[in-house]
Amino acid sequence: MLRSLYLRPHYFVSAGDPQSPAIIKEEAEDSENLKTLYQSNSIFHPDSNSISYTTLKRFPPVKLLPPSQRKRVLVTGGAGFVGSHLVDRLMLLGHEVTAIDNFFTGSKTSVSHWVGHPNFDLVRHDVVKPFMIECDRKFL
């Protein structure tokens, strides 16, 4: 349900005219314009107090939290069914999320829509071995 509400292409709000990345890529023929496509841009939406980041693809708008309220969260099994839905919810709430998974039963495609977002990290690691990270909350 969460993915069907928040991750549809028509949900993305842009400040200017909405253009798909394919159209933008076709318009950028010289290397100067193509170089600016790979830089991350952010669009602030004051009506919903959210910010959306764009690179070559668009991400869903996430809530913009002040640093005092933003948490660094570790989700083990982040590419699995439960973990990916937890990652979706935490990202939409505006937290910084690190998902760890060994991909034995989980799939990278379940969190692929967040790959490249400034608040998301995906780590391929087996939790049987030690993993050192600073975080405020963890979901094991």
Side-chain angles (χ1 to χ4, degrees):
M1 178 87 165
L2 177 70
R3 289 186 183 167
S4 65
L5 291 175
Y6 291 107
L7 302 178
R8 291 185 184 164
H10 69 274
Y11 181 76
F12 304 124
V13 180
S14 63
D17 293 327
Q19 294 181 347
S20 68
I23 295 172
I24 294 172
K25 189 174 182 181
E26 289 175 2
E27 291 176 356
E29 293 179 355
D30 58 344
S31 63
E32 191 67 31
N33 289 338
L34 193 58
K35 189 183 293 183
T36 59
L37 284 176
Y38 287 94
Q39 296 176 352
S40 179
N41 297 322
S42 61
I43 301 169
F44 179 71
H45 308 284
D47 54 336
S48 62
N49 194 26
S50 64
I51 189 166
S52 62
Y53 296 95
T54 59
T55 53
L56 288 180
K57 65 178 186 177
R58 293 184 182 264
F59 300 107
V62 296
K63 192 172 183 181
L64 184 61
L65 293 176
S68 61
Q69 293 180 355
R70 186 176 16 201
K71 303 290 183 197
R72 290 175 296 187
V73 182
L74 172 68
V75 178
T76 58
F81 179 77
V82 175
S84 64
H85 285 84
L86 185 59
V87 166
D88 288 341
R89 182 69 177 152
L90 291 168
M91 287 294 295
L92 291 172
L93 289 174
H95 298 292
E96 296 177 16
V97 179
T98 301
I100 296 178
D101 205 301
N102 57 7
F103 301 114
F104 285 161
T105 57
S107 174
K108 196 180 290 188
T109 59
S110 61
V111 290
S112 63
H113 52 277
W114 291 117
V115 172
H117 193 281
N119 291 352
F120 180 74
D121 289 319
L122 179 63
V123 178
R124 182 183 189 125
H125 184 79
D126 196 349
V127 294
V128 173
K129 298 177 183 172
F131 184 76
M132 303 297 285
I133 189 171
E134 285 186 23
C135 62
D136 300 319
R137 298 231 169 126
K138 56 189 172 209
F139 294 95
L140 304 173

